[in-house]
Amino acid sequence: MEQITIIGSGSMARALAVRMLAGRHSVQILGRNGEKTRELVESLGAGAQGGGEGAAIEGGIVFLAVPYEEGKNTVIFYGEALAGRVVVDISNAVDLATFDQLRIPAGTSAAEEIAKHASKDALVVKAFNTCFAGPLAAGQVAGVPLDVFIAGDSQDAKTKVSAVVAASGLRPIDAGPLRRARDLEAMMLLVMGLQVNPNHNNFNWDTSLKLLP
Ligand SMILES: NC(=O)c1ccc[n+]([C@@H]2O[C@H](COP(=O)([O-])OP(=O)(O)OC[C@H]3O[C@@H](n4cnc5c(N)ncnc54)[C@H](OP(=O)(O)O)[C@@H]3O)[C@@H](O)[C@H]2O)c1
């Protein structure tokens, strides 16, 4: 059983926690809003505990379930406290005003930028950005387990994330080195644009990227 820390108390924090608890891992939720964090922890039940923003991190795997900029600030804030831990960037830094561009310069990715600001001994991985919160909480899309694409430069870190993904009923897919995060993030620019496109009014954020068969 792995101890998991989730920074944030929003939709993705909830969905990740549901899946991690389904995989029999224990979950620490660290949110900036005490009441919201408490409500989330209570609704998750056994195996979940909460704490405030800046509390000591207990998990060997730490999910940044906050907007990209805040994820960057979080790794700066925690500094060496993240050394030796797996830090999972799940962000899609899409310009939500236009859904037409990423808020990341060309030639890099949110995950690589987070890695640059993190402790050099933090093991930064990109994962879960291709899973929307609804299907992630359900664990399935169109009746089949979600795929979770995992990019990172540490094989150990990817193996750890793959293990918790598999235990939570999803299919882990090693997508290669951390620079593949550029592709995972670009794919979601396209997918998120399609969710808000009125020509595809049946998508409604209930989709997920899945390789078949
Ligand atoms: N929603 C999805 O389906 C989905 C799918 C894939 C990836 N993602 C990524 O997952 C991450 C979280 O998204 P979400 O949908 O869970 O968002 P959300 O429901 O809005 O939750 C965001 C969390 O981050 C906190 N937060 C927001 N702005 C902050 C700031 N400036 N400083 C500190 N904390 C801040 C919020 O705190 P408060 O509650 O106090 O505001 C909340 O706990 C984002 O990077 C997003 O791109 C989302």
Side-chain angles (χ1 to χ4, degrees):
M1 191 186 77
E2 191 82 47
Q3 169 77 49
I4 308 286
T5 294
I6 299 173
I7 314 271
S9 57
S11 314
M12 283 300 279
R14 175 183 295 278
L16 285 165
V18 166
R19 293 266 53 84
M20 293 300 116
L21 290 168
R24 304 201 158 278
H25 304 294
S26 52
V27 171
Q28 177 194 36
I29 308 266
L30 300 182
R32 67 173 177 175
N33 177 326
E35 198 180 326
K36 204 171 151 187
T37 305
R38 239 183 337 272
E39 278 173 13
L40 174 55
V41 167
E42 275 172 27
S43 73
L44 290 169
Q49 47 144 328
E53 195 180 39
I57 287 181
E58 294 178 1
I61 299 179
V62 182
F63 288 99
L64 303 174
V66 291
Y68 158 65
E69 287 292 345
E70 187 48 32
K72 205 165 73 178
N73 292 338
T74 298
V75 298
I76 292 168
F77 173 83
Y78 277 104
E80 289 309 304
L82 293 175
R85 300 182 202 267
V86 178
V87 177
V88 186
D89 166 40
I90 69 167
S91 70
N92 287 310
V94 170
D95 176 354
L96 300 179
T98 63
F99 289 90
D100 196 37
Q101 61 182 348
L102 290 170
R103 292 183 285 105
I104 306 287
T108 184
S109 61
E112 289 164 284
E113 292 306 303
I114 283 173
K116 274 183 209 162
H117 289 83
S119 159
K120 66 174 176 33
D121 296 320
L123 307 169
V124 176
V125 160
K126 185 88 196 184
F128 286 100
N129 73 305
T130 61
C131 306
F132 289 131
L136 179 57
Q140 295 191 340
V141 61
V144 288
L146 300 194
D147 285 348
V148 179
F149 298 91
I150 304 167
D153 293 335
S154 160
Q155 201 55 50
D156 277 0
K158 288 193 285 188
T159 301
K160 275 190 186 162
V161 174
S162 296
V164 297
V165 166
S168 70
L170 313 178
R171 181 171 73 157
I173 296 180
D174 186 339
L178 194 62
R179 64 178 181 277
R180 284 281 85 74
R182 300 173 195 182
D183 309 299
L184 295 175
E185 293 172 15
M187 279 203 291
M188 290 312 284
L189 170 63
L190 172 69
V191 171
M192 289 173 70
L194 292 173
Q195 307 302 301
V196 296
N197 182 331
N199 294 330
H200 302 290
N201 62 2
N202 57 334
F203 285 168
N204 291 323
W205 305 97
D206 286 335
T207 62
S208 192
L209 283 180
K210 173 87 190 159
L211 291 182
L212 295 171

